[in-house]
Structure formats: C-alpha cells, structure tokens
Amino acid sequence: MAVLVTGGAGYIGSQTCVHLLEAGKEIVVIDNFSNSSPLSSQAVKEITGKDFPVIECDIRDEEKLGEVFSSYKIEAVIHFAGLKAVGESCQKPLEYYDNNIGGTVKLLSVMKKFGVKCIVFSSSATVYGEKHTAPFNEEMEVGGTTNPYGTTKLYIEQILRDLCASDSEWSVCLLRYFNPIGAHESGKIGEAPNGIPNNLMPYISQVAVGKREKLSVFGDDYDTPDGTGVRDYIHVADLADGHVVALDRALSVKGCEVYNLGTGKGVSVLDLVKAFEEATGIKIPYVIAPRRPGDIATSYADCSKAKNVLGWEARRDVRKACEDTWNWQKNNPDGFTK
Ligand code: NAD
Ligand code: UD1
C-alpha cells in the first residue's frame, strides 16, 4: 500500500517525501509542476536511494486522478497541492478558489470513489485570523482570514469536517503550519520561489547570495520586544516529521483532528536576521520600511496538543534552519536548474 503525495515536488512536499521514505513508507507523487520542478523528486531519490513514481497530474483532472488510483494501491493521501502566494491570491481569487478548493473537491471525490478515506491536509496558521492573542491553540475559533489564499484554507478545513460528519469512515488530519523555513541538510532540496520572494527567509537568503540588495523590514513599531513582527519559524524537517506521525495517527483513528505544527517560540524579524548572520557569517543589510498590509504583530503556536497526542515536537532550532537554508541557497542560487 502506498501514500499518495499531492504537490510532492514542492518545498514541503519533497522534504516530507524524504521522511516518509526513510520511515519505510511507499509513496506515489503527483504534481502539475506549476510551482516546482521534477528535479526535486530526482533529488529525493538521490538522498534516500529509493525509487517511486512521479506523475504529472493536476488535481483538478478527475480522469487522470482516477488512473492514478487504479494503477496504485493507495491507502492514504497527504495533500500539499495548491497555490500559496498571498498577494497573487488577491489579484487572482478565482484561480485560487478553483485550484485549491475546486481541486480538493475533485481529489476527495476520486478518493471516495476508490474507497480511500484517509487524508492529511496542509492548512495554515492563517486560519486563526487577526482576533486572537498568541499562542494560538486548536480550540480557538477560526475565521476572519484577510486574503483569498487564507480563505481557501479555511473553507477546505470546513469541507473536510463536513465530510467526516457525513461518513464516519473518513479520517482527516488538518495540520496548521506556522512559518516553515530551512532546507534538507544535504542542500539538495529547498525552497525555490519564483520571482521576488514574499516570505522573510527566502528574501534574507537571496540578499545573502547577492540576488537582492537589501532586506526591507516591514515595520519596527509593532507592540513586540524590538518592534518588528514576531513569528514561529519551524524547520521544514520538523514539519516533515510531523506529517509522518500525523499520517500514522490518521491511519489508526477515524474522524477529523487538527494540530498546530510550530515550535511554540516567537522570533522577531531582526532576531531571524541576526540568527542568519551568526550561522553564516554573512552580513544582511536592511532598511526599515512601512508595515505590510494584512500583517499581524505576533503569531506563534501552542504546540501542546501535537506533543501530547502525537508525541511530536520540533527539535531543530532557528540557527540550524539558517545553516540549512544557506547550504541550499549557495549551492542552488537559481533553484532547480541542474
Ligand atoms: P509549493 O508551491 O512549493 O508546493 C505546492 C506544490 O503543489 C507545487 O509543487 C505545485 O506545483 C503543486 N500544485 C499546485 N497546484 C496544483 C494542482 N492543481 N495539481 C497538482 N499540483 C499542484 O508550496 P509549499 O510551501 O511546499 O506548500 C505546500 C502546502 O502547504 C500548500 O498547500 C501550502 O498552501 C501549504 N502551506 C505552506 C506554507 C508555507 O509557508 N510554505 C504555510 C502554510 C501552509
Ligand atoms: C505569510 C503569509 C501567511 C502564511 C504564512 C506562512 C503574507 C501576508 N502572509 O505570513 O498567509 O500563512 O506566511 O508561511 O504573506 N517580513 C519583512 N520583510 C520581508 C518579508 C517579511 O519584514 O521582505 C516580515 C513580515 O512583516 C513578518 C515576518 O517577516 O513580520 C514574516 O513574514 P512572512 O515570511 O511573509 O510570513 P507571515 O507574515 O507569517
């Protein structure tokens, strides 16, 4: 029996494939490569020394999905596939609703048809909206998302809850990621954003490699210890470990469960810049810029549920994430090209 990994060629998906293979799981990857390269799966094979099918398939293509489910014995799905750029989602909301929500509905329909009723879903801390005070826990009311991307995560969570309520055979694990950073320690797979990065860590690493002149720090007048935004940066390898345990949980327990995946620690923009400088010895020039619309001051997780129920907690620190990011970035300044 195999685990189907949608979006398995992407940043978090490829790292999770490594951990699944190392845990002895069989996997099948599908991806439409809209934001990734088949070379990442090639690198996963090199890292693990294991082979697996990589199929070009859009999750909105029900016929092709049906062929995949007919060809392989799938026991569960880890569903990463989706569009994730917040700014772009405000410009192209219909594409985001079609790809993320429409695609997920198609995927679930095909899973149901083939009797595969177990799914782990990539949700986001963004579903907590703006009204709560950190640390965020899973009991808090979700909603009040500020952009179409976040709203797709909110709606997909609800769709999956409704599915579980309609049929007790489904098992669903909603994983709310905080801020994934870092890369595989081999330097062979990592984050390769198209164009100008929106997120902090890829921006810092592109400044370090000389692709960008300086970092703009979006606001230094927040109600935080140094005035800059505070986030919960989690190493992508810890996140991948979280998926392996969440998958085992979903395979053994029916119903819908939700877990935060973070470190529980708040790190400011300037803390992350400093950690990167200390880890790499490279100075990151920055200027203070206006606040970015839609940003909140502080976001970090209460991770006690994942620790108590799944026995999972983040083990790698921000320094390790900076080292691994740099190892990936300096060897692959243009992402997957070789
Ligand atoms: P990514 O863009 O690197 O990976 C997503 C993958 O899905 C890409 O390989 C892309 O080509 C593929 N894809 C997109 N639409 C598809 C479709 N219709 N059919 C098939 N494949 C499709 O992003 P990531 O950072 O690895 O994120 C993975 C998941 O985690 C996404 O759902 C994202 O929204 C979610 N997430 C990411 C973050 C983050 O900061 N990176 C935070 C919270 C949640
Ligand atoms: C982003 C997404 C959010 C998603 C989350 C998880 C936006 C508006 N939000 O949020 O939906 O769930 O990632 O990955 O994109 N910063 C700078 N300069 C930069 C980039 C960022 O100062 O060039 C600051 C931001 O203001 C923030 C912090 O760095 O305080 C982290 O930003 P980012 O990496 O974009 O993550 P989030 O804001 O948490």
Side-chain angles (χ1 to χ4, degrees), residues 327-338:
N327 190 29
W328 153 254
Q329 180 73 77
K330 72 174 186 238
N331 290 317
N332 307 272
D334 298 314
F336 290 99
T337 54
K338 54 182 185 196

Side-chain angles (χ1 to χ4, degrees), residues 14-29:
S14 56
Q15 179 81 33
T16 302
C17 287
V18 171
H19 293 228
L20 288 167
L21 292 164
E22 285 173 349
K25 307 279 184 195
E26 281 192 27
I27 62 169
V28 175
V29 164

Side-chain angles (χ1 to χ4, degrees), residues 66 75 80 101 119 139 150 189 209 229 240 250 264 270 323:
E75 61 176 335
F80 294 104
I101 301 182
I119 183 166
E139 299 297 311
I189 52 172
V209 84
L270 295 180
E323 287 167 1

Side-chain angles (χ1 to χ4, degrees), residues 13-334:
S14 56
Q15 179 81 33
T16 302
C17 287
V18 171
H19 293 228
L20 288 167
L21 292 164
E22 285 173 349
K25 307 279 184 195
E26 281 192 27
I27 62 169
V28 175
V29 164
I30 60 169
D31 204 299
N32 68 358
F33 305 116
S34 59
N35 196 38
S36 57
S37 160
L39 293 176
S40 72
S41 296
Q42 198 49 47
V44 170
K45 293 177 187 181
E46 283 169 26
I47 291 167
T48 59
K50 294 186 178 174
D51 200 9
F52 55 90
V54 180
I55 301 153
E56 183 164 358
C57 173
D58 193 296
I59 53 166
R60 292 164 295 180
D61 184 343
E62 272 188 85
E63 203 180 314
K64 188 93 187 261
L65 274 180
E67 285 169 24
V68 173
F69 278 84
S70 301
S71 306
Y72 301 95
K73 284 200 165 66
I74 306 293
E75 61 176 335
V77 176
I78 304 187
H79 179 30
F80 294 104
L83 302 175
K84 63 162 185 176
V86 171
E88 184 186 59
S89 78
C90 299
Q91 309 303 319
K92 303 176 179 172
L94 295 181
E95 287 184 23
Y96 273 68
Y97 289 123
D98 176 46
N99 197 86
N100 294 7
I101 301 182
T104 300
V105 171
K106 292 262 170 66
L107 172 69
L108 293 169
S109 306
V110 176
M111 288 174 67
K112 186 175 168 201
K113 188 169 155 199
F114 284 83
V116 179
K117 296 184 176 181
C118 181
I119 183 166
V120 175
F121 174 63
S122 301
S123 189
S124 166
T126 194
V127 301
Y128 289 112
E130 298 179 296
K131 68 179 171 196
H132 303 296
T133 304
F136 302 141
N137 70 60
E138 296 87 345
E139 299 297 311
M140 287 175 167
E141 195 188 340
V142 294
T145 45
T146 53
N147 55 75
Y149 163 73
T151 305
T152 68
K153 295 295 174 193
L154 190 68
Y155 287 0
I156 295 168
E157 284 201 359
Q158 188 59 46
I159 289 167
L160 288 164
R161 270 190 219 98
D162 292 344
L163 195 56
C164 285
S166 74
D167 177 352
S168 59
E169 284 178 13
W170 278 89
S171 28
V172 170
C173 211
L174 307 174
L175 300 180
R176 293 182 182 152
Y177 311 159
F178 281 69
N179 291 61
I181 59 169
H184 189 268
E185 60 186 358
S186 65
K188 288 178 188 285
I189 52 172
E191 193 171 12
N194 287 326
I196 302 170
N198 295 306
N199 297 118
L200 181 59
M201 185 57 131
Y203 205 103
I204 291 176
S205 65
Q206 289 199 6
V207 171
V209 84
K211 289 181 86 172
R212 315 267 158 216
E213 192 191 339
K214 55 182 180 298
L215 172 72
S216 293
V217 175
F218 298 145
D220 67 350
D221 56 353
Y222 285 105
D223 184 15
T224 60
D226 66 14
T228 67
V230 166
R231 297 291 183 273
D232 184 337
Y233 296 97
I234 174 170
H235 196 300
V236 67
D238 282 323
L239 199 60
D241 284 338
H243 286 74
V244 176
V245 291
L247 173 70
D248 285 339
R249 173 83 181 169
L251 283 168
S252 59
V253 177
K254 305 266 183 238
C256 185
E257 296 192 339
V258 49
Y259 297 96
N260 285 339
L261 295 183
T263 67
K265 293 187 193 84
V267 170
S268 77
V269 175
L270 295 180
D271 288 338
L272 193 65
V273 169
K274 194 160 167 251
F276 192 92
E277 290 180 340
E278 283 174 5
T280 63
I282 298 168
K283 191 98 192 108
I284 304 297
Y286 68 83
V287 290
I288 304 297
R291 290 182 179 193
R292 181 172 65 179
D295 274 354
I296 58 174
T298 303
S299 162
Y300 60 93
D302 175 338
C303 306
S304 48
K305 186 175 176 196
K307 186 175 181 189
N308 295 337
V309 183
L310 301 177
W312 171 91
E313 64 184 323
R315 293 187 289 120
R316 298 154 179 95
D317 60 15
V318 161
R319 185 187 171 98
K320 168 78 175 148
C322 290
E323 287 167 1
D324 291 340
T325 298
W326 181 233
N327 190 29
W328 153 254
Q329 180 73 77
K330 72 174 186 238
N331 290 317
N332 307 272
D334 298 314

